């Protein structure tokens, strides 16, 4: 049985009750409907940026939560924001990662792979959507701020930068 066929057996009132129940039970559903009702991406973008920063620099405890930060961006993508807003949050992730490294010293390869991967994903969105001029200063600062970081991290980010911003 398909979902459409399953749902067609319910009355309008029953469907409304099901949606309300889903909204109550699942925060992703609630976020989706809140955004659908009030589609102000600037609010969602700022919430995402704050949450990403909190994953790198938690107010309580000291555990870095890269997986949570990536999920925040994944959840934002589900709201289908404009390319500039999505790239902005992704660049914020990269900037937070670079700042974290410069504050606490060398991390590890999975950390650098995560940050570089996010930079690559952001650069792809930037390039595909003609947003080079919007992000070039921030991207250049990322490159400058990684010049003393090892593990080939600076080189990888530089390659991404030149591919997106200098070609």
């Amino acid at each position: 049985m398909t979902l459409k066929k399953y749902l067609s057996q319910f009355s309008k009132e029953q469907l409304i009750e099901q949606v309300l129940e889903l909204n109550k039970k699942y925060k992703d559903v609630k976020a989706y409907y809140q955004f659908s009702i009030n589609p102000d991406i600037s609010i969602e973008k700022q919430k995402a940026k704050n949450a990403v920063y909190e994953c790198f620099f938690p107010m309580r405890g000291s555990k870095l939560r890269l997986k949570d930060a990536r999920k925040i961006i994944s959840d934002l993508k589900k709201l289908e924001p404009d390319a500039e807003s999505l790239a902005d949050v992704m660049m914020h992730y990269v900037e937070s990662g670079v700042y974290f490294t410069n504050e606490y010293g060398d991390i590890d390869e999975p950390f650098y792979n995560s940050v570089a991967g996010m930079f690559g994903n952001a650069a792809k969105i930037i390039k595909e959507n003609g947003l080079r001029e919007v992000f070039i200063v921030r991207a250049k600062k990322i490159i400058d701020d990684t010049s003393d970081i090892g593990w080939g991290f600076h080189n990888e980010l530089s390659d991404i930068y030149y591919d997106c911003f200098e070609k």
Side-chain angles (χ1 to χ4, degrees):
M1 178 182 288
T2 65
L3 180 59
K4 187 174 183 176
K5 188 173 181 177
Y6 173 74
L7 293 174
S8 68
Q9 68 187 356
F10 296 106
S11 69
K12 180 180 176 181
E13 290 76 23
Q14 290 171 317
L15 288 172
I16 290 171
E17 286 303 315
Q18 281 197 2
V19 170
L20 291 172
E21 186 64 30
L22 289 171
N23 187 62
K24 197 184 302 182
K25 279 186 175 181
Y26 301 102
K27 69 178 182 176
D28 289 347
V29 173
K30 185 174 187 167
Y32 172 79
Y33 280 112
Q34 283 178 338
F35 184 71
S36 295
I37 293 165
N38 182 18
D40 184 354
I41 192 60
S42 64
I43 294 169
E44 293 304 316
K45 182 174 80 168
Q46 192 56 52
K47 281 198 281 189
K49 287 173 87 169
N50 292 344
V52 164
Y53 189 82
E54 172 73 16
C55 290
F56 282 92
F57 300 96
M59 301 219 0
R60 295 180 188 186
S62 60
K63 186 171 179 186
L64 176 66
R65 300 182 333 265
L66 285 181
K67 183 178 176 184
D68 292 346
R70 291 184 76 84
K71 182 173 182 340
I72 290 161
I73 293 170
S74 177
D75 290 346
L76 181 65
K77 282 181 189 176
K78 292 175 189 173
L79 297 178
E80 300 178 355
D82 61 281
E84 186 175 338
S85 294
L86 180 58
D88 181 29
V89 177
M90 294 169 88
M91 289 290 282
H92 182 69
Y93 176 100
V94 176
E95 291 161 336
S96 297
V98 170
Y99 182 63
F100 184 89
T101 302
N102 285 325
E103 284 293 306
Y104 297 107
D106 277 341
I107 313 300
D108 59 14
E109 188 175 1
F111 172 87
Y112 294 126
N113 289 341
S114 179
V115 175
M118 187 64 69
F119 190 54
N121 293 339
K124 182 178 179 193
I125 291 169
I126 290 165
K127 192 173 185 178
E128 288 174 352
N129 291 279
L131 298 169
R132 180 185 171 280
E133 293 304 317
V134 175
F135 291 100
I136 193 166
V137 171
R138 287 171 67 185
K140 180 70 171 117
K141 183 166 177 10
I142 288 168
I143 300 308
D144 293 345
D145 290 350
T146 61
S147 62
D148 294 328
I149 300 174
W151 294 81
F153 183 57
H154 173 74
N155 294 340
E156 186 173 357
L157 295 183
S158 293
D159 288 346
I160 294 166
Y161 173 84
Y162 287 110
D163 182 53
C164 179
F165 294 95
E166 296 295 326
K167 283 189 176 178

